[in-house]
Amino acid sequence: MSDPFGSISAGVLLNGLNETLAALEKLDVDTITTGLFEQIGDLKAIVESFDQLAIAERRNASLHVRPRSPTERFLQPLINSTTAILIESGAYIRPLLSNIKVTVDDKEQGFWIESERRLENQPLYLETSLSLGLHTRILRALFTAIDLLKIQHLSFTDDEAQSSSLKARSSVSCRLVNELGLVRNSLSLITEEVANYDASTIVDAITATEAVTLHVPDIVNRHFVIPRPVRACFTGRKTELAKLDKAFQDVTKSLQQRFVIYGLGGSGKTELAFKFANEYKDKFWGVFFVDGSSQKNASSSYAEIATIGGVEPNEKAAKNWLTTRDLPWLLIIDNVDDDETNLEELLPGGDKGCVLITTRNPSHMTHGNAGDRYLELLAMEPKEAEELILRAAEEPRPWAQTAIDSASSICKALGFLPLALVQAAKAILKGICDWPNYLSSYDREIRRIRRNYHGRNRSISREKKRLDDSSSFTVFSTYEILYRNLEESPREKCQDAVELLHVFSFLHFQNIRLDVLINAAINPLREEKQHEEDLEHEKELHKKLQSPKRKPWGMFFRELRAYISSQTSLFATPPPLPGVLRNRDNLCLEDLEDEVQDRLRAALSVLVERSLVTRQERSTGRYSMHRLIHKWVRERPEMSTSHQALWCQISMATLSSSIKRPPHGDNEPENQARRELLPHITHVRECQTELDKTLAENAARAKPLWPLNKSYGKLQADQDVRFSRVYCETGHFEEARDLQQRALGYASVRLGPDHPIAIALSLLLTKTLWLMCEMEKVVKRMRATHQLCVDTWGDYHPLTLDVTETLGSALSMQGKYTEANALHLANLENKKRLYGDKHQKTLESTRNLARVLNRRMEYNQASRLFQTAWEGMRDTLGPTHLETLTSLEDLSSSFARHEEDNPDPNLGERLLQSRKDLTFVYEQRKERLGKEHPYTLLSRLFLARVESAVGNDKEAEKIIREGLEVAERNIGSEHLAVLMAKCIHAEVLVKLRRFSEAEKLFYKLIDRSWYTKTVGEDGDHPDRLANIWFLAMCLEQQGKWEKTLGLCREFLVGIETIGGRGLGMNHKMYPKVMKKITELERKVVEGSTIRKHPFRDNEKGRGVQIGIEEAWVEDVRTEEILV
């Protein structure tokens, strides 16, 4: 379709309209002529719009329409209708113009215009007037419809641009609906006033326009995130769906609308919520899901929503993202059953969005405020229930009466509960039972379950007894029929399916990934291969060492003891995996992966066919379980507590095996996959805690002859290390620290604190403490570890070099620059000898040394080293590697400085290049890590510093303010990075002469309590001293000499303690502050003299006053102390 607008030709009609308007101007002005003049003017305006549109599209088409495409299907009828309306309008204009000309001639010749010859009394005037008005309205609607198609045709990659486009589309769509309403009103009027009016052209235009409103709805659903699709057999519930639709009729209200669905377990609450979301998703820009069964599960769900929004994956960020969306969204909060759950805490804040809550707990219905506020979901109507079970069993139509009668009896026995009906249908579909004998199988199962359940209850403490409601027994019995059929089957895929059910029951019931299971099977082989490569690399490094130390005999014997006690090396025991994931035949990596994948898919298909597991997404291999099935498999009455504990351990082993042991697997795809494991790790560890408690209570009642204590061995230590990696990467630093400390304690006792495994664990723990800003603990731990490494392995061993690097960086953060500089200098030379100049570890040492020099204000030397590190990383790792980006960030931000002594003549050019480079770093991190990741925010902060350095202070202040809002929400207001950002913010405020705001910030930042976790025992913290200095400079610009002097003296006392042993006096700032104190003392004395002699001669007084004013406006250039 080369030129869809080629048929639109409005030139002739426009000439006729212009002639008509010119003729009307010659008549006497009255109500009739004025109204007609305005009417024809409106028609001319819309015709001109079409003429301009046609010309513009011929020159540069904005709608690239492909033949037989959806756009052509909707656009061509609009073009055809427009052409027909233009022709029809011309047919009305020609006789109208003739009549007006006759009237004008009569007037010009001075004839009296008789009443019947007046324009408004002409025979066709009424039809002409009404038709032209109708044509104007339908042409406007057609033009708006074309405009809407043009907006629909656009595509955006940027979130903000796309959001803006969605708003425009919603606005245009609403306007089109209103314009169609006006067209219908005008059409109704003209058909009443004009007999036999031919409205076929108008009706065709309305049809073409209405088709566009259906093709392009008011709201475009961009996000639709629910754990699984609606069951294909869903039927009935029309009344309930209508209530939900009525409750959320106006989704644009400036009020958070909430509706609660409550009812028995298995009554279909979740399915109804999903059905409503699916049926009415076009009312919402986004549909999201939160598991409300516990606060931890809700937090995990919100983290997934945050990932969708491109913000930091945590609950606060997700809620903030939702409440700042301008377009309507629906949030389903599912299974809020616990009495102790605070539903208010699960809800996003603000006055936006629609929230649909499902719960068994009727007390939660008070939270509803939309429509009828709440809905009690009762059992299904008998006819609906019969249809559901027959459809779910895929009974061929027409349904035989015997099948209908059996279905009716089954529905009645199962209490018309949808979930139980679906499970019964699956048993019939798979041939486990048939229609007539299903109820007898069901009765046997429910009797057996009740018998086993009550028998098991007698062995449980009184406070733990809890009889489920009868509906749960009903549903559980239908599951049991399917389960026992799988258990009794000799086929491998059925046995695998049973094992997977047990594993899944201890994981979180949503987002169970196929690739996690595959990784659990093949990671042991991968790690074995990696271990061999690491040993080979370690041998090569040892050859380069000068006089390397041998392994101590004591360590050798400790390793031998550990080997004998476990019959294998530490952390190498094969984990207790389910049979489907074991490498029984010692296959190679590729063959094992193929076999495991085939067996898993076969077993999962068995579970999906029986509706015991639901496939969330076919393309990504994600599965989920219904919460009742999840609970039933885990707590079957036939499952003893010890049996549960066994499957819990197998599930933990499966999870931990899917996580590579650090430091391997450190790339963004694997990082993202690990972050998604957090809900599963949380759930399985909670189950383990509960089972340990139950086992302890059972043991106490049994009164054993000797105490039974839970053992902690290499398997548990290995799991702790792997799980701690997930906790650390998701911001749960305290949990990560606790697990790492436990694993480190075990390794230190079994192998000794100087063993390489213990040292590696110590480094891992140190990383976590660093992220928690526990710098003093980091320094103490690294000093002790460094001494162990030197004593056992020597100064040049790779482990010693790694520990030295960490210790030097930690000392630098405490302001102990002299010691840090010495460590980094020696370490850099050692790494060059061991690894070479271009190795990543050598380049990281170069960068760390440059950071120390930059903090000591040795800028030129620091920049040269930063340049070396960046160029090496770029050539070795590539320009977009995260480490390369960090080096480029350090290099670029090192030019944002002030130099009083030897200013760099090329600093301006370097700053402009730095701005370009930091923009590149920011864009790369935003794309790969997310726009709210701490490293992304950090690059944005350094970009703001450079913007301020080149004079764009307003832009810098805006960038920092926006970033601070996100950082405080995600990592807290006490984090060192946030304090640094506030310091830079206050500096920019000073440049903008917003002194009161800057003062307020600086006074908060000099509070010692902020730095208690990071400061050393023998000195002040350099960040606090930097803020004291910047505050002093802020006060000096305002002429507050005495306060400035007091702060400078406080700064001097603090800097003398930096580094301990008086090393702070070697800092470059020391002589500058001494000089500044002398200047201030003179100004204070002069200011005191002025106050004592206010009536001294005018010239002298004026001179002092001018000096004060000059000092007030002077742009004091300060030295950078620490970033």
Side-chain angles (χ1 to χ4, degrees):
M1 190 176 181
S2 57
D3 183 13
F5 295 89
S7 61
I8 296 180
S9 179
V12 175
L13 178 58
L14 281 174
N15 290 336
L17 291 170
N18 286 326
E19 271 193 82
T20 304
L21 290 172
L24 281 172
E25 287 181 342
K26 298 178 181 179
L27 295 178
D28 292 333
V29 178
D30 57 20
T31 304
I32 300 300
T33 56
T34 300
L36 186 58
F37 188 89
E38 292 176 351
Q39 191 177 57
I40 294 176
D42 291 341
L43 179 59
K44 176 190 171 185
I46 187 61
V47 172
E48 283 179 337
S49 296
F50 271 107
D51 191 47
Q52 293 167 5
L53 172 65
I55 294 170
E57 288 293 329
R58 290 186 197 115
R59 291 176 179 171
N60 184 19
S62 63
L63 280 168
H64 301 282
V65 183
R66 296 189 304 273
R68 294 183 299 277
S69 67
T71 303
E72 180 193 18
R73 181 156 46 92
F74 292 102
L75 179 62
Q76 193 58 56
L78 297 176
I79 300 295
N80 295 341
S81 292
T82 300
T83 304
I85 297 294
L86 292 176
I87 293 171
E88 196 169 284
S89 297
Y92 281 104
I93 287 295
R94 286 190 291 274
L96 176 64
L97 178 58
S98 297
N99 287 336
I100 294 174
K101 284 182 176 181
V102 170
T103 305
V104 170
D105 289 342
D106 288 347
K107 178 187 175 187
E108 290 177 346
Q109 295 179 24
F111 295 145
W112 174 259
I113 302 175
E114 297 179 357
S115 174
E116 62 274 9
R117 295 184 60 190
R118 291 179 66 83
L119 190 61
E120 64 270 24
N121 294 328
Q122 296 293 319
L124 294 178
Y125 176 77
L126 177 62
E127 180 179 347
T128 299
S129 176
L130 292 175
S131 295
L132 292 179
L134 178 59
H135 287 180
T136 301
R137 291 188 174 92
I138 190 61
L139 284 172
R140 284 175 179 161
L142 289 165
F143 191 88
T144 302
I146 293 172
D147 194 24
L148 190 57
L149 281 179
K150 289 169 69 176
I151 296 175
Q152 164 79 354
H153 196 69
L154 297 175
S155 62
F156 299 92
T157 56
D158 181 73
D159 281 349
E160 294 182 5
Q162 195 162 30
S163 178
S164 176
S165 170
L166 290 174
K167 293 178 191 175
R169 177 164 143 178
S170 178
S171 174
V172 172
S173 182
C174 292
R175 186 169 77 242
L176 179 57
V177 172
N178 293 333
E179 288 172 348
L180 278 174
L182 294 175
V183 170
R184 292 190 185 93
N185 292 338
S186 297
L187 181 60
S188 176
L189 176 62
I190 197 171
T191 52
E192 290 178 3
E193 296 290 339
V194 180
N196 300 320
Y197 181 76
D198 183 8
S200 59
T201 309
I202 304 296
V203 171
D204 289 344
I206 292 175
T207 302
T209 309
E210 282 181 332
V212 175
T213 64
L214 297 175
H215 174 60
V216 188
D218 295 357
I219 301 297
V220 182
N221 181 258
R222 185 181 172 197
H223 301 291
F224 187 75
V225 186
I226 59 175
R228 58 175 176 78
V230 179
R231 298 186 191 278
C233 57
F234 185 96
T235 187
R237 301 297 195 190
K238 293 181 179 179
T239 303
E240 290 83 356
L241 288 169
K243 281 190 176 183
L244 293 176
D245 181 32
K246 181 181 178 182
F248 298 125
Q249 190 168 14
D250 182 4
V251 296
T252 61
K253 282 183 180 180
S254 57
L255 167 72
Q256 187 177 94
Q257 303 175 68
R258 301 188 292 271
F259 193 89
V260 179
I261 304 173
Y262 72 93
L264 295 173
S267 60
K269 302 180 294 297
T270 301
E271 199 71 16
L272 178 64
F274 288 176
K275 181 67 173 178
F276 171 76
N278 193 65
E279 289 286 317
Y280 296 93
K281 64 182 177 183
D282 286 334
K283 295 179 71 170
F284 304 99
W285 166 79
V287 176
F288 306 99
F289 177 87
V290 166
D291 173 17
S293 57
S294 71
Q295 182 60 56
K296 288 185 177 180
N297 290 342
S299 296
S300 299
S301 299
Y302 272 119
E304 293 177 14
I305 295 174
T307 303
I308 294 168
V311 297
E312 193 64 8
N314 61 61
E315 183 175 347
K316 288 183 179 179
K319 288 179 176 178
N320 180 75
W321 182 71
L322 285 175
T323 55
T324 54
R325 299 306 93 191
D326 292 326
L327 293 169
W329 46 264
L330 172 68
L331 180 67
I332 299 173
I333 304 182
D334 192 33
N335 290 308
V336 192
D337 301 331
D338 197 337
D339 293 336
E340 298 179 1
T341 300
N342 188 341
L343 184 52
E344 286 292 342
E345 293 182 359
L346 300 185
L347 297 169
D351 56 1
K352 294 179 181 178
C354 301
V355 183
L356 184 57
I357 301 160
T358 72
T359 178
R360 294 189 194 181
N361 191 341
S363 65
H364 287 321
M365 67 185 183
T366 56
H367 292 278
N369 63 1
D372 293 339
R373 295 177 46 232
Y374 55 84
L375 164 68
E376 182 181 7
L377 193 62
L378 302 172
M380 297 185 74
E381 294 295 325
K383 291 298 181 184
E384 291 181 349
E386 290 170 16
E387 183 179 355
L388 172 62
I389 193 172
L390 288 166
R391 287 179 58 185
E394 299 182 15
E395 184 71 14
R397 290 176 182 266
W399 294 326
Q401 189 59 45
T402 54
I404 295 175
D405 294 341
S406 296
S408 177
S409 301
I410 295 171
C411 291
K412 185 176 181 181
L414 299 183
F416 305 101
L417 292 173
L419 192 58
L421 296 176
V422 170
Q423 300 303 320
K426 293 302 178 182
I428 294 169
L429 176 63
K430 300 307 295 182
I432 299 169
C433 308
D434 56 20
W435 287 107
N437 65 20
Y438 178 84
L439 283 180
S440 58
S441 298
Y442 168 78
D443 290 338
R444 285 196 302 273
E445 289 300 329
I446 199 167
R447 284 196 300 271
R448 186 179 59 81
I449 290 175
R450 287 187 181 276
R451 183 173 61 251
N452 291 337
Y453 186 86
H454 291 298
R456 182 180 174 188
N457 262 352
R458 285 192 291 271
S459 65
I460 299 177
S461 59
R462 182 182 299 270
E463 61 272 14
K464 283 191 169 290
K465 284 188 180 182
R466 183 181 59 82
L467 263 174
D468 282 4
D469 53 63
S470 59
S471 65
S472 295
F473 274 116
T474 300
V475 177
F476 288 170
S477 301
T478 61
Y479 299 153
E480 193 70 18
I481 293 173
L482 294 169
Y483 176 86
R484 287 173 64 80
N485 173 256
L486 287 178
E487 194 176 44
E488 293 168 2
S489 172
R491 291 184 296 176
E492 181 183 64
K493 64 179 182 180
C494 293
Q495 294 304 310
D496 290 344
V498 171
E499 290 191 350
L500 287 181
L501 266 182
H502 286 294
V503 172
F504 289 1
S505 71
F506 285 94
L507 307 182
H508 190 271
F509 65 90
Q510 292 172 359
N511 200 26
I512 302 169
R513 294 174 45 157
L514 177 63
D515 60 341
V516 169
L517 300 173
I518 295 173
N519 286 335
I522 64 178
N523 268 354
L525 286 182
R526 286 175 175 168
E527 291 185 335
E528 183 179 338
K529 181 180 178 181
Q530 183 66 55
H531 181 63
E532 293 173 358
E533 293 176 0
D534 291 343
L535 287 177
E536 195 62 34
H537 179 64
E538 188 176 336
K539 290 178 182 178
E540 292 297 322
L541 290 178
H542 281 189
K543 291 178 182 178
K544 299 180 181 180
L545 294 177
Q546 298 176 357
S547 303
K549 288 190 174 185
R550 294 180 176 275
K551 182 185 294 185
W553 281 105
M555 185 179 297
F556 173 79
F557 285 119
R558 288 195 297 271
E559 287 180 339
L560 182 61
R561 182 184 61 189
Y563 175 80
I564 293 173
S565 63
S566 62
Q567 294 298 306
T568 185
S569 61
L570 189 70
F571 294 166
T573 298
L577 298 175
V580 67
L581 303 182
R582 294 179 195 164
N583 188 8
R584 298 180 186 276
D585 301 324
N586 295 320
L587 301 175
C588 67
L589 181 63
E590 292 76 13
D591 292 343
L592 177 62
E593 184 172 2
D594 291 340
E595 178 179 292
V596 167
Q597 192 166 138
D598 292 342
R599 286 181 64 180
L600 282 173
R601 292 190 184 280
L604 287 167
S605 66
V606 169
L607 296 176
V608 170
E609 288 169 0
R610 289 161 172 75
S611 292
L612 295 172
V613 166
T614 304
R615 183 183 288 110
Q616 286 181 219
E617 301 175 35
R618 185 180 297 272
S619 59
T620 56
R622 296 170 187 262
Y623 297 83
S624 64
M625 296 176 72
H626 192 282
R627 277 183 52 81
L628 284 179
I629 301 176
H630 190 249
K631 175 183 173 60
W632 159 73
V633 176
R634 192 171 63 251
E635 299 183 1
R636 291 178 65 236
E638 293 182 350
M639 287 268 286
S640 65
T641 305
S642 57
H643 198 188
Q644 286 179 316
L646 173 63
W647 279 111
C648 181
Q649 183 57 56
I650 292 174
S651 302
M652 291 187 75
T654 302
L655 275 181
S656 67
S657 293
S658 71
I659 305 166
K660 287 184 179 177
R661 194 181 302 121
H664 301 296
D666 191 14
N667 55 70
E668 190 52 33
E670 291 190 72
N671 291 346
Q672 177 60 37
R674 281 195 296 271
R675 285 194 287 267
E676 292 190 22
L677 293 179
L678 180 63
H680 300 301
I681 294 172
T682 302
H683 188 269
V684 74
R685 293 189 69 224
E686 286 176 350
C687 291
Q688 184 191 46
T689 301
E690 187 63 30
L691 286 169
D692 287 345
K693 186 178 178 181
T694 303
L695 287 170
E697 291 175 354
N698 292 344
R701 285 197 301 273
K703 298 179 181 180
L705 296 177
W706 56 84
L708 300 175
N709 297 320
K710 183 183 176 183
S711 62
Y712 183 88
K714 56 184 177 300
L715 179 63
Q716 290 74 26
D718 188 36
Q719 290 176 355
D720 282 351
V721 170
R722 296 173 192 265
F723 288 166
S724 75
R725 188 173 194 180
V726 176
Y727 282 124
C728 193
E729 289 173 353
T730 54
H732 296 75
F733 301 127
E734 293 184 0
E735 290 89 342
R737 177 200 60 198
D738 294 343
L739 293 180
Q740 290 163 2
Q741 285 178 338
R742 187 164 64 176
L744 175 58
Y746 172 79
S748 298
V749 170
R750 294 295 299 272
L751 300 173
D754 55 349
H755 193 276
I757 289 179
I759 293 172
L761 289 175
S762 185
L763 282 168
L764 186 66
L765 174 58
T766 296
K767 179 182 176 182
T768 303
L769 294 173
W770 191 302
L771 293 171
M772 297 173 70
C773 295
E774 302 269 5
M775 298 310 300
E776 182 61 13
K777 291 182 179 179
V778 169
V779 170
K780 288 181 177 179
R781 178 167 292 280
M782 283 297 97
R783 283 194 190 278
T785 306
H786 181 261
Q787 192 60 51
L788 282 172
C789 286
V790 172
D791 294 343
T792 305
W793 304 107
D795 291 310
Y796 310 112
H797 192 278
L799 278 175
T800 307
L801 299 183
D802 290 343
V803 172
T804 304
E805 199 68 37
T806 304
L807 175 59
S809 297
L811 290 170
S812 177
M813 291 295 291
Q814 287 192 321
K816 298 173 181 178
Y817 303 129
T818 302
E819 187 180 359
N821 187 67
L823 286 173
H824 281 309
L825 271 173
N827 219 40
L828 179 58
E829 293 304 317
N830 292 332
K831 285 192 175 182
K832 284 181 179 179
R833 285 194 297 268
L834 190 61
Y835 299 110
D837 291 350
K838 295 295 184 180
H839 193 277
Q840 181 179 342
K841 289 196 173 187
T842 305
L843 296 171
E844 288 173 355
S845 289
T846 304
R847 187 175 65 198
N848 288 333
L849 175 59
R851 287 173 175 173
V852 177
L853 295 172
N854 197 55
R855 288 165 183 154
R856 292 178 65 177
M857 299 170 61
E858 297 176 19
Y859 298 124
N860 292 330
Q861 189 178 353
S863 294
R864 285 194 295 270
L865 289 176
F866 280 137
Q867 183 82 24
T868 301
W870 169 64
E871 290 175 353
M873 294 281 192
R874 180 195 60 193
D875 297 340
T876 305
L877 304 175
T880 59
H881 191 278
L882 291 177
E883 287 296 329
T884 307
L885 295 177
T886 300
S887 297
L888 181 58
E889 178 184 68
D890 283 338
L891 171 62
S892 302
S893 59
S894 70
F895 295 113
R897 64 199 188 217
H898 297 288
E899 294 197 38
E900 293 181 349
D901 300 333
N902 300 306
D904 185 350
N906 300 318
L907 188 60
E909 296 178 10
R910 296 183 189 278
L911 285 171
L912 293 177
Q913 181 62 39
S914 295
R915 179 168 62 180
K916 180 180 177 181
D917 290 339
L918 283 170
T919 301
F920 171 75
V921 173
Y922 169 69
E923 293 297 335
Q924 285 291 319
R925 285 179 174 170
K926 183 174 72 169
E927 179 182 350
R928 299 172 63 184
L929 303 178
K931 62 184 178 182
E932 290 194 358
H933 191 279
Y935 285 163
T936 307
L937 297 177
L938 192 63
S939 59
R940 191 78 169 144
L941 174 64
F942 288 144
L943 177 59
R945 289 189 71 229
V946 172
E947 289 286 2
S948 178
V950 298
N952 298 332
D953 295 315
K954 289 186 178 179
E955 177 65 17
E957 194 275 332
K958 178 184 176 184
I959 292 172
I960 297 171
R961 180 165 27 85
E962 292 173 352
L964 268 173
E965 181 182 345
V966 176
E968 287 189 288
R969 181 183 72 234
N970 290 343
I971 62 177
S973 59
E974 298 183 10
H975 197 280
L976 276 182
V978 175
L979 299 180
M980 178 183 69
K982 289 181 177 180
C983 172
I984 297 173
H985 189 204
E987 287 183 76
V988 175
L989 291 174
V990 171
K991 288 186 175 183
L992 291 170
R993 304 188 63 75
R994 291 160 60 177
F995 295 120
S996 60
E997 295 176 63
E999 273 190 57
K1000 186 177 179 181
L1001 259 179
F1002 279 134
Y1003 273 118
K1004 286 183 179 180
L1005 292 171
I1006 65 175
D1007 186 347
R1008 289 182 184 273
S1009 63
W1010 295 110
Y1011 310 98
T1012 53
K1013 294 193 295 184
T1014 57
V1015 69
E1017 296 177 355
D1018 54 353
D1020 212 327
H1021 195 278
D1023 287 11
R1024 178 176 176 273
L1025 295 180
N1027 286 304
I1028 290 175
W1029 175 255
F1030 293 136
L1031 174 57
M1033 297 302 97
C1034 172
L1035 295 174
E1036 185 182 28
Q1037 290 194 53
Q1038 301 174 68
K1040 300 178 180 180
W1041 316 122
E1042 293 184 5
K1043 289 184 177 181
T1044 305
L1045 178 59
L1047 287 169
C1048 286
R1049 287 171 174 164
E1050 183 179 355
F1051 180 92
L1052 197 64
V1053 172
I1055 201 171
E1056 289 177 354
T1057 67
I1058 288 290
R1061 302 182 299 278
L1063 293 175
M1065 296 172 67
N1066 297 327
H1067 197 283
K1068 281 191 174 183
M1069 281 300 297
Y1070 190 83
K1072 297 179 185 298
V1073 177
M1074 291 292 292
K1075 182 179 178 181
K1076 178 62 68 177
I1077 288 175
T1078 303
E1079 293 176 7
L1080 290 168
E1081 288 174 342
R1082 176 178 55 79
K1083 290 179 180 180
V1084 169
V1085 171
E1086 291 175 353
S1088 176
T1089 305
I1090 293 173
R1091 287 192 294 273
K1092 289 180 180 178
H1093 305 284
F1095 301 109
R1096 58 169 46 182
D1097 66 86
N1098 291 337
E1099 285 301 315
K1100 291 182 179 179
R1102 180 175 175 273
V1104 173
Q1105 182 63 32
I1106 289 173
I1108 293 175
E1109 290 174 354
E1110 288 175 348
W1112 178 279
V1113 301
E1114 179 187 5
D1115 184 10
V1116 180
R1117 296 192 300 171
T1118 62
E1119 294 290 341
E1120 177 184 358
I1121 297 174
L1122 174 67
V1123 176

